[in-house]
Amino acid sequence: MRMSRHVERRTFLKAAGASLAGVGLTAAGCGAGSGSSGGPVTIRYAWWGADDRAEKINRTIALFEKKHPKIKVKTDFQQYGDFWKKFNTQAAGGNPPDVFQNAVGFLRKYDAKRVLLDLGPQAKKGNLDLANFRAGLEKFGEIDGKLLGVPVGSNSMGYIIDERVYEKAGVTPETGWTWEDWDDALIRIHDKAGRAGDSGPHGVMYLYDLILRQNGKAFFTENGLGFTESDLVPYWTEAMKRVKSGLYADPKKVEQIKPKSALAQGLAGGEFTWDNFTARYTAEGDSSYAIAPIPTTDGKRTAQYLGSLMLSGSARTKHPAEVATFISFMVHDPEAGRIMGYDRGVLSTTEQFEAFRPTDPVSKKIAAYEQQIADAGVLEPITPHPAGADVVEAAFLRIAGDMSLGKAPVEDSVKQFFTEAKTALDS
């Protein structure tokens, strides 16, 4: 998830909320044929991420073009927020990239705007291979009987910690630790390691979703929000107390170091995010990082689920067969899997999963973590993501950030969030 890193998402203010009212794509003529006359075909491929991801993707594209010399791939990438700003502009102008990186929170939104290509027909024609996906991931991008995305990897929420800081504080997170245990850890890190215990998790929608799920609710239902103002007020009130006490990192300093993370820059001892971002923290920081278990309410249920980045096609593409061929290569080719590693999550197909045997410590940690939660049986079905979920996520992050900086009190911030969420989900 479907879900990029929340540090990147802090830059995603109004980007995902940009209106696509003017898109008005019609199904007629969109993706009706390959558009190929036997000569070279060029498709445009766009994604979000950092330079290290771009380097790996460019290597896989070179491999693809070598094996498919009649298909050329033109690339484009930006940071998370900038990507969606540009994508919205392109989609509104009827010219989105042929194939692009996507996440579950965007599927219903862009399907409703007729932006996404149904890849199901291409699978039936043999241009897209849907065999050998791990854990049923081939179904992850299905919405209302249409295949709108194909997963490139799987990941789950984890608590990434600075191992040196936790060792200095004398804290060892273990499976089944509770939120009370986590609270105690924040205090010990603050007092013994001289650092904020956490970067400030109260704007991370996917974390709050887990907390709600542990308590019998969820962030979303099929049609709207699954919680109320009376749920959010105490959560954000407690968060502000921790900001003021120094248990959460100084929001002003966190702002100053963006897009880098507070954890990697030594401002905090831990940060809730997707497990595969352990690799990025290791690249950014100068410490050793581990994936700790998600704290629980009852010592048992973490309420976790698998998320995934995926590849989607444009309904406007003139080359649906080539798009499907490209996607199929990117999720099945063993060498492409060895190149990408776990950059976008644990590889989604058995061909790539078996081809990439991690030797570096970080990838081994990610693989071990996903194996651990799978063996523990804690994984559950993903929370629904209605149309407008991406705008709601952006609002949750932005409003929590503004609140942390003292721009609005808790009660006003909560009301603002519910007002914006209602507008996004009703539109």
Side-chain angles (χ1 to χ4, degrees):
M1 307 224 178
R2 292 76 88 307
M3 296 215 157
S4 109
R5 180 164 65 92
H6 67 271
V7 170
E8 290 176 322
R9 286 182 174 144
R10 290 192 181 104
T11 66
F12 183 30
L13 302 180
K14 295 182 180 179
S19 173
L20 284 176
V23 175
L25 296 182
T26 60
C30 295
S34 71
S36 174
S37 59
V41 164
T42 298
I43 59 174
R44 293 157 51 220
Y45 173 34
W47 71 91
W48 68 83
D51 290 341
D52 56 340
R53 177 175 293 173
E55 187 273 334
K56 293 176 182 177
I57 288 178
N58 285 332
R59 287 171 60 194
T60 64
I61 289 172
L63 182 63
F64 172 79
E65 290 181 335
K66 183 178 180 180
K67 294 187 177 183
H68 298 271
K70 290 189 176 182
I71 306 176
K72 303 301 179 184
V73 183
K74 184 178 180 181
T75 65
D76 186 24
F77 83 99
Q78 290 88 27
Q79 292 291 324
Y80 186 80
D82 292 335
F83 172 89
W84 288 111
K85 287 179 183 178
K86 185 172 184 178
F87 183 85
N88 284 336
T89 299
Q90 291 173 326
N95 188 37
D98 296 278
V99 60
F100 52 95
Q101 188 169 283
N102 206 350
V104 67
F106 299 91
L107 293 184
R108 290 188 183 276
K109 171 181 178 176
Y110 291 117
D111 181 44
K113 300 294 182 181
R114 300 183 184 180
V115 173
L116 301 180
L117 175 68
D118 181 2
L119 292 161
Q122 294 300 322
K124 292 178 180 178
K125 292 177 181 179
N127 296 321
L128 174 62
D129 184 0
L130 295 180
N132 301 328
F133 278 81
R134 298 170 43 248
L137 285 170
E138 72 278 5
K139 302 289 186 181
F140 195 79
E142 284 191 1
I143 298 291
D144 300 330
K146 293 176 286 186
L147 182 61
L148 303 179
V150 179
V152 293
S154 68
N155 47 36
S156 189
M157 286 292 291
Y159 191 53
I160 317 303
I161 62 171
D162 186 320
E163 292 183 294
R164 297 173 189 171
V165 169
Y166 265 70
E167 182 178 354
K168 186 174 182 179
V171 178
T172 304
E174 297 180 347
T175 299
W177 70 327
T178 65
W179 290 106
E180 288 76 14
D181 296 329
W182 179 72
D183 292 340
D184 292 340
L186 299 186
I187 295 171
R188 290 172 68 89
I189 290 168
H190 180 270
D191 293 347
K192 294 191 174 185
R195 186 179 297 189
D198 191 276
S199 63
H202 46 288
V204 184
M205 183 194 81
Y206 287 99
L207 172 64
Y208 191 47
D209 183 35
L210 296 190
I211 294 172
L212 289 167
R213 285 160 63 100
Q214 288 179 16
N215 289 277
K217 298 186 178 184
F219 200 99
F220 290 118
T221 65
E222 288 284 352
N223 301 310
L225 295 177
F227 64 103
T228 65
E229 292 186 25
S230 61
D231 295 310
L232 186 55
V233 167
Y235 181 64
W236 274 0
T237 298
E238 180 61 30
M240 289 306 298
K241 290 180 181 178
R242 293 174 179 176
V243 169
K244 293 175 182 177
S245 68
L247 294 182
Y248 289 172
D250 183 338
K252 293 181 180 179
K253 293 182 179 179
V254 173
E255 283 287 320
Q256 291 170 356
I257 64 169
K258 291 178 181 177
K260 295 182 178 179
S261 76
L263 175 62
Q265 297 304 298
L267 298 181
E271 188 163 287
F272 289 96
T273 188
W274 300 106
D275 54 21
N276 62 302
F277 276 93
T278 309
R280 182 168 183 178
Y281 292 160
T282 301
E284 287 183 0
D286 59 3
S287 190
S288 175
Y289 306 94
I291 312 171
I294 294 291
T296 65
T297 300
D298 59 4
K300 298 178 181 179
R301 186 186 181 195
T302 65
Q304 288 170 271
Y305 44 81
L306 288 180
S308 177
L309 290 179
M310 61 188 74
L311 297 181
S312 293
S314 164
R316 285 277 188 177
T317 184
K318 296 179 180 178
H319 312 293
E322 288 81 3
V323 164
T325 299
F326 177 74
I327 293 175
S328 195
F329 174 89
M330 286 297 175
V331 298
H332 286 286
D333 186 82
E335 181 58 26
R338 282 190 286 269
I339 292 171
M340 292 305 303
Y342 293 162
D343 178 84
R344 296 179 296 192
V346 177
L347 294 158
S348 61
T349 61
T350 55
E351 295 98 323
Q352 292 192 340
F353 180 78
E354 293 172 358
F356 177 71
R357 297 294 183 179
T359 57
D360 65 286
V362 177
S363 293
K364 286 183 176 180
K365 289 176 183 178
I366 297 169
Y369 177 75
E370 293 223 355
Q371 189 65 52
Q372 175 188 352
I373 60 177
D375 292 344
V378 300
L379 293 174
E380 304 176 5
I382 190 171
T383 288
H385 282 66
D390 59 315
V391 181
V392 175
E393 179 189 356
F396 192 76
L397 184 65
R398 169 174 46 81
I399 293 168
D402 288 346
M403 179 185 68
S404 297
L405 292 168
K407 295 181 180 181
V410 171
E411 290 76 10
D412 290 351
S413 299
V414 171
K415 290 185 181 300
Q416 180 185 353
F417 168 72
F418 274 83
T419 297
E420 292 191 22
K422 185 178 187 303
T423 299
L425 295 171
D426 288 347
S427 61

